[in-house]
Amino acid sequence: METVHLLTLGIAIIVLAAVYRQGTSTMRRRKRITIRVTDAAVARSALIDHADAFSNRPTPPFPAGRPITHSIASMPYGPVWQTLRRNLTANILHHSRLGDFAQLEREAAEAAAASLSAQVGSGTVVVVPRETLHGAVLALFARLCFGDGDGMDALDMRTVLQMQQEFFSSFAVVMASERSWLTRLLHWQRRRRQAEMFDQVNEVFVPAIVARRHRQSSHGNYDGSGFQPYLDLLLELDVPDGDGDNGHAWRRLLTDEEIAFLVWEFLGAGISGAVTCLEWTLAHLAAEPGIQDKLRRELIAGDQRRMTGSTATATSELLRLPYLHAVVLESLRLHPPLPFASREVQVEGIMLGEVAVPPGGAPVSFVLGDIGRDGKVWTKPDKFRPERFLEGGEGEGVSLVPGPKEIKMMPFGTGRRHCSGVAMGMAHVKCFLAELVRGLEWVPPADDGGGIDFTEIDGFIKWMKTPLRVRIAPRSMMK
């Protein structure tokens, strides 16, 4: 018996030694220092002056063989990326399309407020709003993606929500596990689970894709929703596929697997960004009752001016409210939804401040939170003060996607790979925030000394480390 145990132990040692040798060899090949950029002027020089060199993102630490090229966020810059991004931006994300989605936004925001109000009843209650917000925003994005037809019916919304939460919670661990062979070994189960999730994406979304394609072939692509859903656009889209005769590029339709990952990306990126921005903003409003009251007064005054008119017109006017805009900008300055804007730079010698890109290139990480809190640019940069974005303030005229002259904050990145969903994301956040602040008072919970934990956790998304826990009540109940 002892011989068996010794033999087993010996085999284990041999395997670990082999893993160690392979791991250290891999680390020698892969070990490259990531250049971190925290200065706004350096970021502007890199992303604007050297746009060509900063057009690609690093390869994500996804399991080997997984289709990273099915993601707009991670695929290399080129004709396919341009086609996919143009399709999404022009047909779904462009600011000219916001009026088409106004009714869907209002319904989703009202559903979130109603769900929270139902928990309150006629008194006050402590709630953790993240799950409610996540469910409501997911329902909105699912309608934008699938419309109100067979594709939506074939989608298991609860499974999608669970998948998103698990993927984003595990992403930071998987990223950290890339540091060495030992961390990869220690987190092998988490890494294996993430690999299994890629298979689950197909299992969940392909049936919805097939159902939608069948409906298209039978009834056309209009379902009465007033716009063409993202999935319909992907089903019709053809992308470049190599060079053909006489200099003309071959084109092809997307496969079901490619569409499944593009749908997964659309839902994941849009939902997580909106939810984390809402949670951070509500946290600051709960901690700053004066700011919350000023915002509510602006919303009520705006409501009185919008008593007549269509939903689209009312939403358009809502989006132009200056203090609401300033509140959201200040939240994004302090807590950009993505902690980092990462680029893979192959051109050596480019100076990033006092650091040069080494031979062979290097990954470059722009730390968006530090750039937004730069004390050389902002007065009291850690203080939540929306007034800085009003007329006469230091942030007056600051754009969410900086232009070529100056960068003061870049919560959605800048340059060629900036987030194309800025206009839609801002519209969603403003509509939800307006609905949640009009009728509910947000106050820190009284049972823990009245404080809110503003500790950040930088994973795939900049979440609150401790989900917001807050007391809410109908406005008339709070004194």
Side-chain angles (χ1 to χ4, degrees), residues 288-299:
E288 300 281 354
I291 295 175
Q292 184 179 171
D293 187 58
K294 183 175 180 179
L295 174 59
R296 179 174 178 266
R297 291 198 305 269
E298 181 186 65
L299 292 170

Side-chain angles (χ1 to χ4, degrees), residues 142-432:
R143 294 179 71 183
L144 294 174
C145 187
F146 293 93
D148 293 320
D150 299 323
M152 272 284 289
D153 297 336
L155 190 66
D156 185 341
M157 299 292 288
R158 183 173 299 180
T159 299
V160 174
L161 182 60
Q162 292 172 347
M163 287 170 61
Q164 284 192 348
Q165 292 171 339
E166 183 177 356
F167 178 83
F168 289 125
S169 65
S170 68
F171 186 85
V173 176
V174 174
M175 286 288 289
S177 72
E178 289 292 300
R179 295 172 184 168
S180 70
W181 70 270
L182 180 59
T183 55
R184 288 196 293 275
L185 183 63
L186 291 174
H187 295 290
W188 69 271
Q189 287 183 310
R190 187 69 68 91
R191 294 168 64 83
R192 186 182 69 177
R193 174 58 189 142
Q194 191 180 68
E196 292 170 349
M197 288 184 65
F198 280 81
D199 295 325
Q200 193 175 6
V201 168
N202 282 331
E203 294 171 3
V204 170
F205 289 105
V206 168
I209 293 167
V210 172
R212 191 69 176 183
R213 182 181 285 112
H214 177 73
R215 190 203 61 77
Q216 272 193 347
S217 63
S218 302
H219 307 291
N221 59 22
Y222 177 70
D223 63 359
S225 59
F227 64 95
Q228 191 171 8
Y230 184 46
L231 177 55
D232 283 4
L233 295 167
L234 292 174
L235 289 170
E236 298 173 357
L237 185 67
D238 56 9
V239 296
D241 187 35
D243 295 329
D245 299 330
N246 301 321
H248 297 292
W250 294 109
R251 303 188 73 86
R252 63 173 179 84
L253 295 174
L254 297 166
T255 66
D256 286 352
E257 184 182 48
E258 289 172 323
I259 294 174
F261 277 88
L262 289 166
V263 165
W264 166 250
E265 176 185 50
F266 175 76
L267 296 177
I271 295 166
S272 56
V275 172
T276 190
C277 183
L278 283 168
E279 188 177 35
W280 281 114
T281 309
L282 290 169
H284 282 289
L285 292 178
E288 300 281 354
I291 295 175
Q292 184 179 171
D293 187 58
K294 183 175 180 179
L295 174 59
R296 179 174 178 266
R297 291 198 305 269
E298 181 186 65
L299 292 170
I300 291 175
D303 290 342
Q304 293 172 350
R305 294 193 300 269
R306 295 191 299 272
M307 294 298 290
T308 61
S310 66
T311 300
T313 301
T315 300
S316 177
E317 293 182 4
L318 172 72
L319 300 182
R320 291 198 294 266
L321 293 178
Y323 199 65
L324 174 62
H325 186 67
V327 165
V328 178
L329 282 180
E330 181 70 339
S331 179
L332 290 168
R333 180 185 70 83
L334 290 170
H335 315 285
L338 293 178
F340 313 103
S342 300
R343 300 291 185 269
E344 181 70 29
V345 184
Q346 300 296 334
V347 181
E348 64 182 76
I350 296 176
M351 296 301 298
L352 296 168
E354 298 179 354
V355 179
V357 175
V364 179
S365 180
F366 299 89
V367 187
L368 303 185
D370 289 355
I371 290 173
R373 296 180 187 231
D374 190 341
K376 300 189 298 294
V377 177
W378 303 102
T379 304
K380 296 183 178 179
D382 295 325
K383 183 175 177 56
F384 186 79
R385 191 169 66 85
E387 284 74 13
R388 71 174 83 239
F389 288 100
L390 299 179
E391 185 177 357
E394 60 194 332
E396 181 184 3
V398 167
S399 172
L400 284 168
V401 179
K405 293 184 178 180
E406 181 183 33
I407 290 178
K408 289 188 175 182
M409 56 185 278
M410 43 181 285
F412 296 98
T414 190
R416 291 177 179 170
R417 299 303 288 251
H418 78 271
C419 175
S420 57
V422 176
M424 175 179 282
M426 286 292 286
H428 293 341
V429 169
K430 288 180 180 181
C431 288
F432 272 80

